[in-house]
Structures are given as C-alpha cells and as structure tokens.
C-alpha cells in the first residue's frame, strides 16, 4: 500500500456501470456503521486530518436511542476526554470506584480503584456516547449518511476498494483507500472476505438477559452482580433517577412471558439481601431480551478492509467489555491509518489484527469467566454449583483474586 491519494470530491465515471444512478464520490476511508466503533474512528481520523464517510443503515433517532452498554473503562474515558468529546461525559457520567458481587444472600464490595492502581470506571450510556460523537462529527462538517440501504463492499483486495449503497432512492458509490467494517454483529462487511481467509472461534450460552430501564433512582450507588439459585441478576443505572436492571432468562423466552410484575418479583428475589436491603421499583420505560455469545474472527483484516468492534468479535455483556473493545480496536486502527497517510509505511496496518487480538482475547476470557461464575447453568449438577460458589468466595476473600477482577474490569493494559 503506497502513496495514498487523499483527493476528495466527485468523480465523472460512466453512470451506467453497476446500475449506479446517483453520485459517485471519493473519500479516504469509508466507514460502515455509526455505532461506537464507526463514530469513534471517524472522530479520530478527523483529528488527523483524514476524510471519511460513515454509512449507517438506521436513522439518527434510532441510533441515538438504542439502549446498550453503560460502563466505560478508564482508558475509554481518557480517550474521549483527550480528544475533545468528553465534556458531557465528565458532567453527567457517574464515576464508580467499586462494584458488588452477591451470592448466598450476602453482598461483597470489590474496591476497584484501591485494587487497580487508582483507576475507575464511568457509568455513561452508550447512546449518550453515540450522541456526543454524532454532534462532534456534524459540527466538524464531516459526513454521515443515515438510512443507507443495501450496502455492499467491492474490490477490497485491490488498491481502489469501493462501497455501493442506496440512499434517497438512488444507487450510489464511494471509492476509497480503506474500508472500515464497523457494522456490528449483524453487519455485511465480513461477507466481503472469502470464507477461507478467516476463522471464527465461538461459543453460545444456554441463557439470555432480560433488561429493563426503569424511572426510579438506583437502590444503591454502585453496580451489583448477583449469583442466585433462580438465576443471575444485575443492578446498574444510567442517571441518578434512572435504573438499569437485568435478569437471567431463557434464550427462547418471548418478551410477553415477562410482564413487569414478574420482572420485579425476580429482581427482588435475586437482588435483595438478608440484612433488609430492598430494591425500589418504578415505571418500566423499556424492556428487551439479549442472547449471549462469545465469538472472535481471526484475522480481523483482509486487503484494504479492516473489521472493528462487534463486527469482528462479541462478548457476553457480563464483563462490560464490548463497547470498550470496539473503542480500543479503532484507536489502534485510527493510529495505523494516520501513520500510513503520514509516512507511507503500512507496518502498523499490517499488524492491526495482531495488535487488537491480544486485548480481544483477554476480554473474551474475562467475559466468559464472569459469565460462567455468575449464571445458573440449566442442567448443571450440584457439583458445578458448588464450584461456582467456591470461585465467588475466593474472588471476594482473596485480595489477589479481587485485584485480578478489578484490573480486568477497569481495563487491562497489556505490557
Ligand atoms: P454496534 O453498536 O452494533 O454498531 C454497528 C452499527 O452498524 C449499528 O448502528 C448498525 O445499525 C450499523 N449497521 C449494521 N449493519 C449495517 C449495514 N449493512 N449497513 C450500514 N450500517 C449497518 N459493552 C460495554 O463495553 N459495556 C457494557 O456495559 C455493555 N453492556 C451491554 C449490555 C447489553 C444488554 C448489550 C446487548 C451489549 C452490551 N455491551 C456492553 C456491548 C456493546 O453494546 C457493543 O459491544 C457495542 O455496541 C459495539 O459497538 P460497535 O460500534 O462495534 O457495534
Ligand atoms: C449496563 O449498565 O447496561 C451494564 C452494566 C454492566 C454490565 C452490562 C451492562 O456488565
């Protein structure tokens, strides 16, 4: 990959080729998907003076409202702050210095900050991160095309890859130097790589999470991860007046099997403790079921296509790692692309996948470990249950075991 041409603007090719009826344009980096990965990459590229176009299948209101992650690692917070998109996060985000593990009716605090060298986490909804990044991008005059349909990737193994899509009724094409596949776990980017050019390592879990957003102040000012005979439960929050809660359910449960009353009954049974602590209930604003999977594609790149975030790997949400991994992938990708444009050296781009996969596999292991320790596994025997309790007790009693959890939870930085 030598001598990229950072030219910008309209092309004048024949409009009849490939049925393209709308404009053909050129950019340096075409980014598929306006989730945390795509938006953060666009932001980092802009700061390096590199042009990009983001193509997003959904409309702006949808992506700005989609309820997903809530926990930002220390390094994710630092990146947003140091690149000028952290003002509202600093004002409205809730900085936490500990989390709680609960089992056998007792709650145990893991003092994250004390155990992890002064580092903390920030509770700030993913949709708020998305809003901040979209606002910054539009203020910078960079392009996002919402409601882009039928996105397809072409010639990704050539020096002139392109992306075709439909927008406002016409078929369009963007030629670029690089394509970033940031289109999440149901995206199309990965399909542009021949099936024998990558491998997927995966695991599914025999349970899911039912999540609610409730208009009630959090019942405790920190997160509670609860292991219970009836199944896992999690107490989290979005703001001082909005609580986020999850209960383990079956992956094939229909949503209507979970009327609000049943959700609160299960949450109370799984979260309340013997010492009289109670969970405050309130109006349910949103409810949804998320299935759980671990998956990693290797390598995360092919030709001029670089895959990032959930498009390349997914983790079960128990470790709160997915959004943070998406951000750390594009931090590496943004730096590698900037290096290539600046010097013509593609060494960092060549090792993009290798660079990311170390962190990805650490997070995969941590997320699998938290998930395995905390959930009730259908059909597991009593021996398995005893092992889970032994692991939980060791984690809260041993300072070294607790420190390992803390180091991973706030975000492990490889040597
Ligand atoms: P996405 O957010 O999925 O964004 C991909 C974008 O691409 C979407 O906007 C999508 O509409 C768009 N797209 C898809 N296909 C196309 C197409 N064909 N053309 C154009 N656009 C397309 N992570 C954490 O770090 N901390 C947490 O606390 C946490 N909690 C979670 C709780 C739950 C219940 C769930 C479900 C997830 C949680 N996660 C958490 C994971 C986190 O939400 C994801 O890892 C994160 O969204 C990944 O970001 P992304 O940008 O890679 O993908
Ligand atoms: C959330 O607040 O949505 C959340 C918090 C911690 C997790 C997963 C989700 O592990």
């Amino acid at each position: 990959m030598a001598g990229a041409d950072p030219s910008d603007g309209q092309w004048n090719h024949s409009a009849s080729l490939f049925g393209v009826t709308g404009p053909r344009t050129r950019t340096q980096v075409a980014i598929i998907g306006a989730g945390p990965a795509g938006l953060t990459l666009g932001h980092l590229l802009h700061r390096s003076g590199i042009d990009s176009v983001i193509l997003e299948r959904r409309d702006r209101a949808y992506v700005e409202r989609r309820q997903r992650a809530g926990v930002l690692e220390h390094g994710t917070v630092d990146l947003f702050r140091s690149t000028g998109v952290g003002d509202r996060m600093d004002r409205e985000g809730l900085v936490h210095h500990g989390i709680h593990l609960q089992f056998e009716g007792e709650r145990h605090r893991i003092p994250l900050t004390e155990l992890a060298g002064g580092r903390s986490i920030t509770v700030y909804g993913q949709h708020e991160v998305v809003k901040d990044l979209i606002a910054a991008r539009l203020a910078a005059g960079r392009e996002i095309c919402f409601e882009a349909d039928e996105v397809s990737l072409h010639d990704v193994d050539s020096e002139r890859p392109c992306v075709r899509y439909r927008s406002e009724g016409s078929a369009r094409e963007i030629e670029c130097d690089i394509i970033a596949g940031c289109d999440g776990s149901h995206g199309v980017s990965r399909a542009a790589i021949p099936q024998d050019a990558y491998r997927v390592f995966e695991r599914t879990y025999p349970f899911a999470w039912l999540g609610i957003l409730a208009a009630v102040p959090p019942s405790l000012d920190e997160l509670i991860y609860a292991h219970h005979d009836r199944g896992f439960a999690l107490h989290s929050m979005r703001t001082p007046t909005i609580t986020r809660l999850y209960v383990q359910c079956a992956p094939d449960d229909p949503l209507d099997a979970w009327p609000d009353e049943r959700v609160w009954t299960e949450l109370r049974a799984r979260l309340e403790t013997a010492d009289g602590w109670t969970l405050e209930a309130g109006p349910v604003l949103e409810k949804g079921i998320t299935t759980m999977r671990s998956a990693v594609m290797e390598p995360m790149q092919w030709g001029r296509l670089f895959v990032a975030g959930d498009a390349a790997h997914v983790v079960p949400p128990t470790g709160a790692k997915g959004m943070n991994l998406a951000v750390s992938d594009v931090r590496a990708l943004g730096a590698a692309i900037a290096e290539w444009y600046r010097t013509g050296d593609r060494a960092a781009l060549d090792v993009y996948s290798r660079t990311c996969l170390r962190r990805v596999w650490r997070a995969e292991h941590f997320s699998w470990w938290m998930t395995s320790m905390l959930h009730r596994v259908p059909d597991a025997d009593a021996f398995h249950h005893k092992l889970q309790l032994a692991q939980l007790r060791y984690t809260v009693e041993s300072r070294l075991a607790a420190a390992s959890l803390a180091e991973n939870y706030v975000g492990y930085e490889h040597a």
Side-chain angles (χ1 to χ4, degrees):
M1 226 187 250
D5 168 15
S7 64
D8 204 356
Q10 299 277 321
W11 291 2
N12 294 316
H13 284 234
S14 154
S16 62
L17 271 177
F18 314 114
V20 173
T21 52
R24 286 206 160 83
T25 51
R26 173 165 170 76
T27 187
Q28 291 175 286
V29 182
I31 300 173
I32 320 297
L39 289 165
T40 304
L41 179 62
H43 173 63
L44 297 175
L45 293 176
H46 165 69
R47 287 178 56 87
S48 299
I50 298 166
D51 188 49
S52 63
V53 173
I54 300 180
L55 299 176
E56 166 58 48
R57 188 176 49 169
R58 303 285 192 169
D59 63 33
R60 180 175 177 184
Y62 183 92
V63 299
E64 290 191 341
R65 268 203 297 262
R66 187 167 41 198
Q67 283 297 325
R68 305 220 16 216
V71 174
L72 306 188
E73 289 176 357
H74 201 93
T76 306
V77 167
D78 280 350
L79 179 75
F80 290 151
R81 191 178 288 145
S82 65
T83 61
V85 284
D87 289 357
R88 203 164 63 90
M89 173 191 74
D90 279 336
R91 276 197 313 277
E92 297 175 17
L94 308 168
V95 179
H96 284 201
H97 301 290
I99 58 168
H100 299 262
L101 293 188
Q102 183 171 318
F103 54 98
E104 296 186 313
E106 283 178 10
R107 194 169 293 159
H108 307 262
R109 184 168 188 271
I110 308 282
L112 297 175
T113 303
E114 190 186 310
L115 294 170
R119 294 160 15 106
S120 56
I121 51 153
T122 297
V123 176
Y124 188 62
Q126 174 170 327
H127 63 292
E128 305 294 357
V129 169
V130 164
K131 277 189 221 164
D132 294 344
L133 288 165
I134 289 176
R137 183 162 183 90
L138 297 180
R142 298 287 187 186
E143 191 181 343
I144 311 184
C145 174
F146 289 104
E147 299 180 78
D149 279 330
E150 298 171 31
V151 170
S152 59
L153 284 58
H154 303 269
D155 304 325
V156 293
D157 56 345
S158 78
E159 297 208 341
R160 284 271 172 265
C162 76
V163 180
R164 301 198 187 111
Y165 62 106
R166 291 190 74 80
S167 175
E168 294 172 349
S170 65
R172 302 173 181 218
E173 182 174 291
I174 303 177
E175 194 207 48
C176 55
D177 300 322
I178 283 178
I179 302 176
C182 302
D183 45 351
S185 53
H186 302 292
V188 293
S189 299
R190 209 198 262 197
I193 307 180
Q195 274 181 8
D196 59 3
Y198 71 98
R199 195 171 158 194
V200 177
F201 302 83
E202 64 187 322
R203 171 153 308 184
T204 54
Y205 299 89
F207 35 76
W209 282 12
L210 178 133
I212 61 165
L213 200 63
V216 61
S219 299
L220 189 78
D221 57 5
E222 291 181 328
L223 273 69
I224 310 164
Y225 289 83
H227 169 96
H228 195 280
D229 288 348
R230 301 173 77 104
F232 170 76
L234 170 61
H235 168 276
S236 180
M237 62 214 64
R238 286 292 173 270
T239 69
T241 56
I242 304 281
T243 307
R244 179 78 168 146
L245 297 142
Y246 299 94
V247 276
Q248 176 181 345
C249 64
D252 53 357
D253 272 357
L255 207 51
D256 55 16
W258 285 91
D260 295 357
E261 215 160 278
R262 180 178 178 205
V263 178
W264 288 114
T265 302
E266 285 301 321
L267 283 168
R268 280 204 195 91
R270 301 178 194 192
L271 284 166
E272 289 184 356
T273 46
D275 64 4
W277 181 91
T278 54
L279 178 72
E280 291 301 322
V284 173
L285 305 173
E286 240 190 77
K287 194 189 289 174
I289 291 180
T290 310
T291 55
M292 293 169 79
R293 204 161 66 91
S294 299
V296 181
M297 77 179 289
E298 286 196 19
M300 296 163 53
Q301 63 191 89
W302 194 68
R304 297 268 181 126
L305 169 62
F306 297 85
V307 187
D310 276 19
H313 41 72
V314 289
V315 284
T318 329
K321 289 282 159 259
M323 173 170 55
N324 294 295
L325 277 184
V327 169
S328 82
D329 283 355
V330 298
R331 185 203 310 238
L333 182 56
I337 294 174
E339 170 93 356
W340 175 56
Y341 277 115
R342 204 172 50 245
T343 65
D345 181 356
R346 60 168 288 167
L349 273 176
D350 286 342
V351 296
Y352 161 73
S353 177
R354 193 151 23 109
T355 305
C356 293
L357 283 168
R358 278 174 12 129
R359 190 184 181 95
V360 167
W361 276 111
R362 175 86 300 280
E364 287 286 346
H365 179 270
F366 178 67
S367 305
W368 164 84
W369 176 73
M370 288 281 279
T371 301
S372 309
M373 177 169 71
L374 285 160
H375 289 75
R376 193 181 61 78
V377 182
D379 303 328
D381 58 13
F383 187 81
H384 181 267
H385 187 232
K386 289 285 184 189
L387 290 179
Q388 286 181 308
L389 291 174
Q391 183 63 50
L392 281 160
R393 190 151 299 285
Y394 176 59
T395 304
V396 301
E397 281 180 6
S398 154
R399 192 173 169 85
L400 291 181
S404 170
L405 187 154
E407 177 176 56
N408 281 278
Y409 199 86
V410 302
Y412 177 66
E413 299 299 337
H414 281 274

